[in-house]
Amino acid sequence: MTDTSTLIRLEDVEKIYQMGDVTASALAGASLSIYPKEFVAIMGPSGSGKSTLMNMVGCLDTPTGGKIFLEQQDISKLGESRLAQLRGQKIGFVFQQFNLIGTLTALENVALPMLFQSVSQHERRRRAAELLELVDLSERLHHRPSELSGGQQQRVALARALANDPEVILADEPTGNLDSKTEEAIMALFQKLNKDGTTIIIVTHEKTVARHAQRIIHIQDGVIVGA
């Protein structure tokens, strides 16, 4: 019976990478359900498959075997253009390296994802300013990344992830480059967003980060070993 309550569901997902004559199994039959408005942490040691799992959950890659459902739609066989469209509409990404464009201001970085969704320039700027105020950066709208601290850059990245009002925020080691005080501030923002109804999925190896989640999913050797 299909579980219609899930937001993201993986069924026996396998991912095999071919590197010349060598094959490497990154996921070996991973099954996982994530529900709307959850706050989930995915944990595992280096090489466990957690980054590959993140790519599957975030529609960044397709599986070698098994199925992936996003709101009951099987996305396992979709082409890159359709996957990109789904990502833009449903998922916001926050990365450890921030991935901000150095030549753009904070306002312009946050507004950029809306450009690809055909939002008007006026509305892009209005919403970007609103989001930067949400992350307490209303006085840094016109600063470029090089003029911001690491914590401020991560807050810009978080505001950018919210640009298209996604249902899911997927964060990959979002506090890896931050000090402990800034880490707590960023995690407090994630908790506020979750309280307001956004599904949060964080990939991390840090217990101090994972403890903020409602549920911790452990992966080892490409297999979910605890959820």
Side-chain angles (χ1 to χ4, degrees):
M1 189 171 100
T2 302
D3 185 351
T4 58
S5 67
T6 56
L7 179 61
I8 299 168
R9 191 170 77 258
L10 278 63
E11 293 184 354
D12 297 319
V13 169
E14 298 180 350
K15 184 64 179 181
I16 298 173
Y17 292 103
Q18 187 76 38
M19 296 168 285
D21 295 331
V22 178
T23 59
S25 176
L27 291 178
S31 295
L32 172 67
S33 293
I34 294 173
Y35 297 88
K37 301 181 182 180
E38 270 202 300
F39 191 153
V40 174
I42 297 174
M43 294 193 75
S46 179
S48 62
K50 65 180 184 294
S51 293
T52 303
L53 183 64
M54 182 202 74
N55 290 343
M56 298 298 159
V57 170
C59 305
L60 291 166
D61 201 355
T62 52
T64 306
K67 294 183 177 181
I68 302 174
F69 295 88
L70 177 62
E71 293 184 327
Q72 317 319 313
Q73 179 184 2
D74 185 357
I75 64 172
S76 312
K77 308 299 182 186
L78 294 182
E80 174 53 34
S81 61
R82 179 59 180 143
L83 284 176
Q85 186 179 31
L86 283 173
R87 289 194 299 269
Q89 294 169 348
K90 303 286 186 180
I91 303 172
F93 295 91
V94 181
F95 298 101
Q96 180 178 354
Q97 301 299 331
F98 315 139
N99 291 353
L100 300 176
I101 297 176
T103 56
L104 301 183
T105 64
L107 187 76
E108 292 165 338
N109 267 287
V110 175
L112 188 60
M114 291 180 272
L115 177 65
F116 303 111
Q117 299 298 322
S118 302
V119 178
S120 70
Q121 182 181 25
H122 174 76
E123 178 61 17
R124 292 198 305 269
R125 293 181 67 85
R126 185 201 67 77
R127 178 157 173 76
E130 183 180 82
L131 289 169
L132 285 166
E133 182 176 2
L134 175 70
V135 298
D136 197 26
L137 285 177
S138 56
E139 296 181 359
R140 296 289 188 270
L141 301 186
H142 305 296
H143 288 65
R144 290 180 170 78
S146 61
E147 301 170 311
L148 301 172
S149 69
Q152 289 171 334
Q153 289 184 63
Q154 190 61 294
R155 280 186 277 160
V156 173
L158 180 52
R160 181 185 57 187
L162 294 167
N164 290 320
D165 194 23
E167 295 178 48
V168 181
I169 293 292
L170 182 56
D172 184 16
E173 302 284 4
T175 62
N177 289 324
L178 306 178
D179 60 62
S180 59
K181 183 179 178 181
T182 307
E183 174 187 295
E184 284 296 317
I186 293 296
M187 295 312 299
L189 280 171
F190 280 120
Q191 287 184 307
K192 181 182 185 303
L193 291 168
N194 178 244
K195 187 177 180 180
D196 291 342
T198 304
T199 302
I200 307 290
I201 305 169
I202 289 182
V203 178
T204 184
H205 67 276
E206 299 178 31
K207 291 181 180 179
T208 56
V209 171
R211 67 180 174 81
H212 292 274
Q214 300 161 348
R215 181 162 62 108
I216 299 176
I217 296 163
H218 294 276
I219 183 170
Q220 188 165 350
D221 298 327
V223 178
I224 305 293
V225 294

